[in-house]
Amino acid sequence: EAGVAQSPRYKIIEKRQSVAFWCNPISGHATLYWYQQILGQGPKLLIQFQNNGVVDDSQLPKDRFSAERLKGVDSTLKIQPAKLEDSAVYLCASNPSGRATDTQYFGPGTRLTVL
Amino acid sequence: DQQVKQNSPSLSVQEGRISILNCDYTNSMFDYFLWYKKYPAEGPTFLISISSIKDKNEDGRFTVFLNKSAKHLSLHIVPSQPGDSAVYFCAATYPGRKSNFGNEKLTFGTGTRLTIIP
């Protein structure tokens, strides 16, 4: 079974530039998550999708971050414009149902450096 | 507000000995707890979980203990092996806002870097 795919793996941009990350979850998984992991901290949920609908985006900085999952499969997370504090690893995860008792499977992440 | 805390950023243990990783939480509504393991340049992988109706759960070399009154859980690895060297994250969740789809958000701790010394 293929795992969660993410691209790119690394990205370096200057502040005020835009950047986009892509995620393809495990086939058949209805729930998709985007997390932000700042160095020295644990992953923090940014947004959760159930199929193509948003379930939770309470911690997404909506003035600069946006995400979509148009066909209920793969997803894109965008930052526009980026700030220095956005430097982090962005992790995508998927889960068959959205319940915590079902395992969340994580992708390898995209490491973003904002200069 | 850090609701899940891992106060030891790092831990070194001799191969073959027991590794004990600790986690404390402040939100008494949390009722399901998980441990994830993370290798460099990889995403976290699920290791073991425990529901608040239990105080212990075992899976091979890994055992998680839950002390609800102290709001504390620990992960025991015995015997420790070099391949166990990784960052371990504790996570917690509670029923919260449930929809038909399920919405049990995980709150992660800051992680403990475990190094197993051969």
Side-chain angles (χ1 to χ4, degrees), chain A residues 9-10 35 37 40-43 45 48 50-51 55-56 58-59 91 97-101 103-104 106-109, chain B residues 2 32 34 36 38 41-46 89 93 97-111:
Chain A
R9 293 295 310 275
Y10 304 91
Y35 289 88
Q37 186 182 5
Q41 298 182 21
L45 180 68
Q48 176 183 347
Q50 186 74 19
N51 298 310
V55 175
D56 187 339
S58 58
Q59 299 191 92
L91 294 162
S97 66
R99 301 199 185 284
T101 48
T103 300
Q104 283 192 28
F106 284 82
Chain B
Q2 190 69 30
Y32 192 77
L34 308 91
Y36 278 81
K38 186 181 183 304
E42 295 183 14
T45 55
F46 170 75
F89 291 99
T93 186
R97 293 180 292 119
K98 278 197 170 170
S99 67
N100 290 332
F101 308 119
N103 178 21
E104 296 167 355
K105 181 166 62 180
L106 296 182
T107 300
F108 284 85
T110 52

Side-chain angles (χ1 to χ4, degrees), chain B residues 9-35:
Chain B
S10 63
L11 176 69
S12 294
V13 175
Q14 206 76 31
E15 181 179 359
R17 304 293 290 268
I18 183 170
S19 295
I20 300 176
L21 295 92
N22 294 304
C23 178
D24 297 292
Y25 61 96
T26 57
N27 190 334
S28 57
M29 291 183 67
F30 286 144
D31 70 349
Y32 192 77
F33 305 88
L34 308 91
W35 286 93

Side-chain angles (χ1 to χ4, degrees), chain A residues 46-63:
Chain A
L46 292 176
I47 188 167
Q48 176 183 347
F49 291 95
Q50 186 74 19
N51 298 310
N52 60 351
V54 175
V55 175
D56 187 339
D57 64 356
S58 58
Q59 299 191 92
L60 186 74
K62 299 180 187 64
D63 57 334

